[in-house]
Amino acid sequence: MNDPQLQHPDPNRTNAGNPLFSILIPSWNNLDILKITVNSILRNSTYPHQIIIHVNEGTDGSLEWVRKHNILHTHSAENVGVCYGFNLPSSLATCAYLVLSDDDN
């Protein structure tokens, strides 16, 4: 899968301003679906938001990808499971509302 640009299709719509909610996404070596998930959020969200990903292992390039795109994230060297996968990134959330999402296919 090629590496799509991370941007809104409408250049006048941005995530500038105070985010209304934080979206937490645990990912376990699922880079292709993670890219689709993040791009779908960017294309379809009307409100400012914060995306925070927890990278379990990241042996598929996920860790490098979130770093390359400056996506807020946490990381564990091994798969710590979905509970930690949501709890660890929640510590970085700045919003009162949390959205729990997955990149499962």
Side-chain angles (χ1 to χ4, degrees):
M1 174 181 218
N2 60 7
D3 193 2
Q5 294 297 313
L6 295 180
Q7 61 186 6
H8 291 291
D10 177 356
N12 295 317
R13 188 175 73 180
T14 68
N15 259 339
N18 295 325
L20 298 177
F21 51 91
S22 299
I23 303 170
L24 310 179
I25 306 169
S27 184
W28 181 30
N29 294 329
N30 203 12
L31 180 56
D32 288 342
I33 304 301
L34 179 61
K35 289 177 182 180
I36 292 168
T37 302
V38 171
N39 276 300
S40 179
I41 292 167
L42 293 175
R43 280 192 316 270
N44 297 300
S45 182
T46 302
Y47 299 101
H49 57 270
Q50 174 186 47
I51 296 174
I52 311 170
I53 297 171
H54 179 74
V55 178
N56 279 304
E57 292 181 2
T59 57
D60 65 341
S62 298
L63 185 58
E64 292 81 8
W65 185 78
V66 296
R67 288 176 175 165
K68 174 184 172 186
H69 293 287
N70 296 317
I71 299 172
L72 196 57
H73 65 280
T74 56
H75 173 248
S76 57
E78 59 186 35
N79 182 11
V80 293
V82 72
C83 293
Y84 281 110
F86 283 125
N87 286 327
L88 289 174
S90 72
S91 67
L92 301 177
T94 60
C95 303
Y97 300 103
L98 301 178
V99 176
L100 307 182
S101 184
D102 284 296
D103 67 351
D104 292 328
N105 53 355

